[in-house]
Amino acid sequence: MGIPQPAFYIFKCEQSSPPGMPRPSCVSEGNRDLFQHLAQRLMEKGLIGTVQPVRTGCLNRCQYGPVMLVEPGHIMYAQLTKEKIDRIIDEHIIGGKPVEEFMIEKEAWDDPISPEQMMKMSGAV
C-alpha cells in the first residue's frame, strides 16, 4: 500500500526581496515565521499527511503579500497573519468553506490561459 495522496497542497510564498527593491516582499522581518506556523498548526491538528504545505518562490502577487495558494480550487489568500492562517485551516481546510474575506481580490486575477495560448502570446509558436 502506498502513501495517500494529499487532499490539499498549500503553496506559501517565501520570496524575500533585498532592501530597495520596488516590489514588496512576502517575507519580511515581522512575518518570517508564517510558514513554520502553518506547518505547526497542520501537525497539531493531525493534518500533515493529507495537507501538504510547500515553500515556494514568488507567486507574482507581491502587492498582496504575504500570500499562499491553496489547491485544489486555485484559491489565493492575501495579507496573511497567524490568525488568518488558523482560520483558513479551520474553515477552509477542515470545514470545506474558503474564507472569502481573506481571498485575493477578484481584480488581481484574469481567467487562466492555456500553455498553447501563452506560447502564441510570447511569440514562441
Side-chain angles (χ1 to χ4, degrees):
M1 182 172 186
I3 298 171
Q5 186 179 122
F8 291 95
Y9 289 88
I10 300 177
F11 299 92
K12 167 65 182 69
C13 178
E14 290 291 289
Q15 186 68 39
S16 181
S17 299
M21 291 296 288
R23 291 170 32 160
S25 179
C26 277
V27 176
S28 64
E29 198 60 43
N31 64 24
R32 289 192 190 286
D33 59 348
L34 288 180
F35 183 85
Q36 184 64 34
H37 180 81
L38 169 65
Q40 183 175 342
R41 286 293 185 263
L42 293 171
M43 283 189 278
E44 288 170 359
K45 292 181 178 282
L47 297 171
I48 209 70
T50 194
V51 181
Q52 181 66 53
V54 179
R55 291 178 191 262
T56 186
C58 187
L59 294 170
N60 292 317
R61 297 298 179 267
C62 305
Q63 66 273 29
Y64 300 98
V67 299
M68 68 184 191
L69 178 66
V70 177
E71 294 291 354
H74 205 63
I75 295 172
M76 184 172 281
Y77 290 107
Q79 299 172 336
L80 295 172
T81 63
K82 291 177 182 178
E83 294 77 18
K84 287 181 179 183
I85 288 172
D86 292 346
R87 278 194 55 201
I88 292 164
I89 292 170
D90 290 341
E91 295 176 29
H92 182 167
I93 303 301
I94 296 171
K97 186 175 187 312
V99 186
E100 290 193 29
E101 66 192 88
F102 301 157
M103 290 168 58
I104 197 165
E105 57 190 42
K106 298 212 184 294
E107 296 79 26
W109 290 107
D110 283 334
D111 291 331
I113 62 172
S114 72
E116 182 182 28
Q117 289 171 306
M118 180 57 84
M119 290 170 63
K120 286 179 184 175
M121 288 172 50
S122 68
V125 174

